[in-house]
């Protein structure tokens, strides 16, 4: 059954079962990727699956990409805030500096700062997304069909 969802800034529909499975897998997969990123920084990550597993892998890859985009936005805003605070302090030249914003959770920091490119290849994958979301995922997900 299609479920309305917004992923990576695009609204559409996702297969509800695939989305539920991918969300259940997200915490242990994120933990495993964080460990892998510490052990082999910069190495690319390839998620694969066949048939139903390909659909779930595509949704999981999209959820991971969404997490990465969120983390990158947080890093951008934290850097921008820090630069603005520094500029404001220089202009004021007085008073104590406000405390810096809290850093992102350590596991996510390690994961996204050290993880290489993330890709997904589904082999004979079942349809997971509507056309809009499928088009939004094409940069990191490829579906291979033969025959």
């Amino acid at each position: 059954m299609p479920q309305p969802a917004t992923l990576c800034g695009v609204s559409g529909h996702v297969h509800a079962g695939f989305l539920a499975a991918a969300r259940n897998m997200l915490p242990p997969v994120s933990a495993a990727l964080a460990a892998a990123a510490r052990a082999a920084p910069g190495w690319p990550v390839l998620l694969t699956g066949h048939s139903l597993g390909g659909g779930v892998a595509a949704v999981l890859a999209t959820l991971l990409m969404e997490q990465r985009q969120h983390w990158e936005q947080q890093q951008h805003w934290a850097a921008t805030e820090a630069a603005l605070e520094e500029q404001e302090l220089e202009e004021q030249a007085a008073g104590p500096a406000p405390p810096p914003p809290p850093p992102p959770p350590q596991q996510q920091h390690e994961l996204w700062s050290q993880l290489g490119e993330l890709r997904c290849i589904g082999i004979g994958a079942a349809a997971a997304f509507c056309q809009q979301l499928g088009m939004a995922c094409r940069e990191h997900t490829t579906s291979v069909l033969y025959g």
Side-chain angles (χ1 to χ4, degrees), residues 16-29 55-61 63:
F18 293 174
L19 182 59
R23 283 183 176 158
N24 285 334
M25 294 173 65
L26 192 58
V29 169
V56 174
V59 176
L60 180 60
L63 293 176

Side-chain angles (χ1 to χ4, degrees), residues 49-99:
H50 173 259
S51 191
L52 174 113
V56 174
V59 176
L60 180 60
T62 303
L63 293 176
L64 288 166
M65 291 300 292
E66 188 173 54
Q67 280 188 350
R68 176 177 248 169
Q69 288 174 357
H70 178 72
W71 182 81
E72 288 172 350
Q73 287 172 350
Q74 284 181 329
Q75 294 305 300
H76 171 75
W77 289 115
T80 301
E81 285 178 8
L84 290 174
E85 287 175 3
E86 185 176 323
Q87 180 182 2
E88 185 177 307
L89 287 176
E90 289 174 1
E91 290 173 0
Q92 291 177 356

